[in-house]
Amino acid sequence: MSVIAPLAIPLPPPPEDDVLTPSQWITLMAIGDTVIPSLELSSSNISKLKENLPPGAEAELTGAYLSEQASTTPGLKALIHRTLHDFIRQDARKGISVILTALDTRAGCLLITGSTISFHLQPVNARQQILQNWTQSYLPPLRQIVKALSFLFKSVWIKQSPTLGRVLGFPRAPVHGKPGKGFDYGFIEFPPGSEPAVIETDVVIVGSGCGAGVCAKNLAEDGHRVIVVERAYHYPPEHLPMSESDAGVHLFQNGGVDGSDDNSMAIVAGQAWGGGGTVNWSASLQTQGYVRKEWSDGGLPFFTSSEYQNSLDRVCSRMGVSTEHIEHNKTNRVLLEGARKLGYSVKAVPQNTGGAKHYCGYCSLGCGSAEKQGPVVSFLPDAGKAGAKFIEGFEVDRILFEETKQSKIAVGVKGLWKSRDSNRGVSGSDRTAREVIIKAKRVIVSCGTLQSPLLLLRSSLKNPQIGRNLHLHPS
């Protein structure tokens, strides 16, 4: 069996300044070893794990997996450092620092653990009980920090563990399928300059995800001059799928560690060329009836019209959405059989695989076969063939308006463009940064559920509904 590993993409340089003191790091890693502890190498634990190992797993894998803990996982501390420095808000970092400092003092430990012994000096079972008590604490900061740090360590350990993928039978590189050929994008670039670069178009679309791709295709094919701008960068199929740790930096918003303010829900959002369509797992669900009715009752009757249904069908047809070519993995087969035995109704989720079989398993890290029909493979190439232009690395700061006595009309966008480095990556120090203004007859904001409201607010729009009515679904 021949396996072609994806080409690696260098990460940006690690942070130079430390976000924690040495004693705070000791306490933090003790929390990590509490969340991800090594397990006893008992005969029962070993035999249970061996029963579920994939065929061909090496004999020593069982012991290595059970003995692994956060502090012994290669690269885990470095990625925690990057995450805290680059992706965690300053006020949240300050709160973490206060708790970590308190856990290394007699008074602080007594107050928040009930013991005068420093947290990192206590045995793992005592530390586990402390974290469990925090989940029920009457102090909101303790409830929040235990959720946040538990999620942080679990998500980083999953990305960095040298044994987890082998235990699950999930190798680094796909062992089925073959690398595909992507669309040859040509991105607009700008020379260095102290003054803003100014270009004009008919329509500028902010974002490159599912909604943006469909808009770009339809408008370009209708003869309009279209420019699609995206904050992130494009990575062709030969670089995909990325590793979990690299994808967190290159393909996901905020390093893949976003969450609600109360840490009750972790949020994973794409930040890539193609938006969420680059990192979703092919699921292609049409808007359900009760949602369409809610929107219609709220003053948008289009969503219960036959025209909207025709639009959904056209999008699904272009992507080849169906359930006919799905080959379920072991996990799905177990769920399907369990549902059957319990008498539950169960359906396969339609996938956008171009009307063909696509057994990948890695699409949430970027589809290296170019078979998943996300925007990068379908709608954006269609737009490009119709004359649309593209800009990567352009973070739009605000929408530009022209005001009259009667109205306020969007006439363009303004933001900061950052080039690739001399090696065509994004980790070098020799990148060009320049302010860019795009003048347009129409502006379409399609930069995702989380970022679109922020852009509207930065643009001084005052509608009280901006940023409200967000719904998230657990998955």
Side-chain angles (χ1 to χ4, degrees):
M1 179 185 297
S2 61
V3 178
I4 302 177
L7 299 176
I9 301 170
L11 294 175
E16 294 183 359
D17 54 320
D18 213 334
V19 294
L20 301 175
T21 66
S23 61
Q24 288 173 340
W25 271 115
I26 291 174
T27 302
L28 181 63
M29 295 310 295
I31 293 175
D33 286 343
T34 309
V35 175
I36 309 292
S38 61
L39 301 178
E40 181 183 356
L41 297 179
S42 64
S43 57
S44 60
N45 281 341
I46 292 175
S47 61
K48 287 179 182 178
L49 182 58
K50 282 185 175 180
E51 291 174 3
N52 293 285
L53 287 178
E58 58 268 35
E60 65 273 14
L61 177 58
T62 303
Y65 173 73
L66 292 175
S67 62
E68 187 177 324
Q69 58 184 354
S71 61
T72 63
T73 303
L76 181 140
K77 183 178 177 181
L79 187 52
I80 292 286
H81 182 201
R82 182 188 293 276
T83 301
L84 290 174
H85 185 279
D86 294 349
F87 304 120
I88 302 298
R89 297 193 318 267
Q90 185 175 0
D91 60 324
R93 284 205 309 268
K94 185 176 181 180
I96 292 173
S97 296
V98 169
I99 296 294
L100 295 178
T101 298
L103 288 172
D104 197 30
T105 65
R106 291 174 61 87
C109 272
L110 181 62
L111 177 64
I112 59 180
T113 73
S115 169
T116 58
I117 302 174
S118 293
F119 183 86
H120 70 277
L121 297 177
Q122 302 203 43
V124 66
N125 61 324
R127 300 199 307 262
Q128 288 175 332
Q129 186 59 56
I130 289 170
L131 297 190
Q132 182 62 38
N133 291 342
W134 285 3
T135 65
Q136 306 296 325
S137 173
Y138 65 90
L139 297 173
L142 291 183
R143 296 199 303 269
Q144 292 180 13
I145 200 166
V146 71
K147 291 179 182 178
L149 293 181
S150 294
F151 169 72
L152 175 63
F153 274 103
K154 289 175 183 176
S155 63
V156 171
W157 176 73
I158 288 171
K159 296 173 182 177
Q160 295 296 125
S161 171
T163 62
L164 180 61
R166 291 147 60 200
V167 166
L168 297 176
F170 192 75
R172 165 66 188 95
V175 296
H176 36 67
K178 58 183 180 180
K181 178 69 172 68
F183 181 70
D184 188 16
Y185 287 95
F187 292 98
I188 297 174
E189 297 186 351
F190 303 92
S194 57
E195 297 295 322
V198 181
I199 57 177
E200 295 187 8
T201 187
D202 293 333
V203 182
V204 60
I205 302 175
V206 184
S208 64
C210 299
V214 174
C215 290
K217 167 186 167 69
N218 288 337
L219 290 168
E221 290 180 346
D222 202 36
H224 299 281
R225 295 179 301 156
V226 175
I227 295 179
V228 178
V229 302
E230 168 61 53
R231 175 183 183 182
Y233 297 83
H234 171 55
Y235 298 101
E238 57 264 30
H239 293 285
L240 305 174
M242 293 188 188
S243 68
E244 287 90 343
S245 56
D246 288 0
V249 175
H250 291 304
L251 300 180
F252 289 92
Q253 181 175 300
N254 211 50
V257 293
D258 259 347
S260 57
D261 286 342
D262 62 358
N263 292 306
S264 63
M265 181 174 287
I267 302 171
V268 179
Q271 184 174 291
W273 182 253
T278 295
V279 294
N280 75 351
W281 52 270
S282 297
S284 302
L285 297 168
Q286 293 200 6
T287 315
Q288 296 187 68
Y290 74 93
V291 177
R292 294 169 61 172
K293 184 177 185 302
E294 178 183 333
W295 293 348
S296 178
D297 292 346
L300 302 169
F302 169 74
F303 289 106
T304 52
S305 68
S306 59
E307 185 179 357
Y308 178 63
Q309 183 60 53
N310 290 337
S311 298
L312 292 176
D313 292 339
R314 286 174 57 200
V315 168
C316 289
S317 175
R318 172 62 185 88
M319 297 191 299
V321 174
S322 75
T323 59
E324 298 175 6
H325 307 282
I326 298 175
E327 180 178 342
H328 289 289
N329 60 16
K330 181 179 179 180
T331 303
N332 282 7
R333 292 196 298 271
V334 170
L335 290 171
L336 289 167
E337 179 62 10
R340 185 191 68 81
K341 289 181 177 179
L342 292 170
Y344 293 166
S345 175
V346 60
K347 295 180 181 179
V349 175
Q351 297 183 1
N352 60 339
T353 60
K357 179 182 175 180
H358 175 57
Y359 187 60
C360 172
Y362 293 80
C363 276
S364 59
L365 302 171
C367 184
S369 67
E371 292 174 347
K372 180 178 72 172
Q373 299 295 303
V376 174
V377 176
S378 56
F379 294 103
L380 292 173
D382 290 350
K385 293 171 186 176
K389 306 297 182 183
F390 307 110
I391 304 177
E392 62 174 357
F394 181 40
E395 183 172 3
V396 175
D397 177 61
R398 58 190 176 93
I399 303 165
L400 302 177
F401 292 95
E402 184 179 274
E403 297 192 38
T404 66
K405 293 182 178 180
Q406 291 78 25
S407 62
K408 186 176 183 180
I409 302 172
V411 294
V413 297
K414 182 179 182 179
L416 184 67
W417 172 77
K418 290 185 179 180
S419 73
R420 292 177 178 265
D421 59 32
S422 55
N423 295 316
R424 305 306 298 165
V426 295
S427 60
S429 59
D430 57 342
R431 299 167 64 193
T432 296
R434 188 170 181 185
E435 193 173 65
V436 173
I437 294 173
I438 302 177
K439 297 181 179 180
K441 300 174 183 176
R442 294 289 186 270
V443 176
I444 295 177
V445 176
S446 186
C447 45
T449 304
L450 302 180
Q451 292 298 321
S452 292
L454 296 178
L455 174 56
L456 297 177
L457 291 174
R458 290 198 303 270
S459 303
S460 300
L461 295 178
K462 304 298 184 182
N463 189 312
Q465 294 301 317
I466 294 175
R468 300 179 63 86
N469 307 304
L470 172 65
H471 288 66
L472 301 170
H473 66 88
S475 63

